[in-house]
Amino acid sequence: MKKHKREILKDVLVPIGVLVAALVIWQTSAWITSAKVTPVVTFSAILDVLKENVFWRSFGATLLRALIAFAVSFVLAFIFAILAAGSDIVSRIFSPVITALRSVPTMAIVLVFILTVSANTTTILVGMLVLFPTFYAALLPAAKGISKDLIEISLVSGASRLQRVRYVYLPSIGPAAAENGIAGLSLSVKLIVSAEVLAQTARSIGMMMQTARAYLELERLLALTILVVVVCIIIDAVGKAVLSLLF
């Protein structure tokens, strides 16, 4: 238990320490260069943004898109990783598909989807197309590492497919799936925000950033960026803390 507490504190305190160090360097640089945008100015802009109802509505919409893209991608990757692990034919079929998905430029995907579907759907699809091959590549080795003996025992005992997934595949892939899922969730938030900026999605953090850029509101743009980073850090820290308690 003490070890878990130390790991949790490490996961929480290390990002905070890095953030404090970055702020000190930023403030020192601002003093030296006489820059107008300082940590104090940016912090004031963050407080102003947090008071706005439009921010919370946009943040909720962005987070919802990120969760949808994450959930669909993760479930599909989990299913296809299990199928590929149990069949060489499926694995060979998926190998070039995954390679192609990982090679397609994100900008090109956004431009194509903008011309065919709504901006809201575009952001979710972009997130899925980036996350799915990432999850698949991470889960496939874990799925292939499942004991063949366990699979044979489950088949001999007459276990259904759902029972094999629940009692054989999930316990074996669980740790790898949980670890990659946590990393993927914060990645999903960053992907969705980037896609929102490019697609100019209404009611989104990305659109707020685009508007701040258009009006040359640098401190507001930095405030929004920092808030996104903080959210991703919190997701990683909480996720790692939960993992430390579970495994």
Side-chain angles (χ1 to χ4, degrees), residues 11-158:
D11 292 335
V12 174
L13 294 178
V14 169
I16 293 176
V18 173
L19 179 60
V20 171
L23 290 175
V24 171
I25 295 173
W26 181 6
Q27 183 64 63
T28 303
S29 300
W31 282 335
I32 295 174
T33 61
S34 300
K36 294 182 179 179
V37 181
T38 65
V40 175
V41 173
T42 304
F43 182 73
S44 177
I46 290 175
L47 294 180
D48 291 338
V49 169
L50 291 175
K51 295 176 183 177
E52 298 174 2
N53 291 330
V54 64
F55 167 76
W56 293 107
R57 289 195 297 268
S58 299
F59 174 75
T62 296
L63 189 59
L64 178 61
R65 297 183 189 102
L67 290 173
I68 292 173
F70 165 81
V72 175
S73 303
F74 190 81
V75 171
L76 290 177
F78 185 87
I79 293 173
F80 285 116
I82 292 177
L83 293 175
S87 172
D88 289 336
I89 295 177
V90 175
S91 180
R92 291 176 182 176
I93 292 174
F94 263 86
S95 181
V97 174
I98 296 300
T99 301
L101 289 176
R102 300 181 75 171
S103 302
V104 177
T106 304
M107 177 70 77
I109 298 175
V110 174
L111 293 177
V112 170
F113 282 148
I114 287 176
L115 298 176
T116 55
V117 296
S118 66
N120 184 50
T121 304
T122 293
T123 56
I124 296 174
L125 290 176
V126 169
M128 288 173 55
L129 288 178
V130 176
L131 290 171
F132 171 72
T134 303
F135 287 145
Y136 177 84
L139 295 176
L140 183 58
K144 287 185 175 180
I146 296 175
S147 173
K148 302 297 182 183
D149 293 336
L150 288 177
I151 297 176
E152 291 179 3
I153 292 173
S154 66
L155 292 173
V156 172
S157 61

Side-chain angles (χ1 to χ4, degrees), residues 74 78-79 82 139 142-143 146 161-178 247:
F74 190 81
F78 185 87
I79 293 173
I82 292 177
L139 295 176
I146 296 175
R161 290 183 178 179
L162 182 60
Q163 288 175 327
R164 290 201 301 273
V165 170
R166 180 179 179 182
Y167 296 107
V168 177
Y169 290 103
L170 281 178
S172 301
I173 308 179
F247 300 103

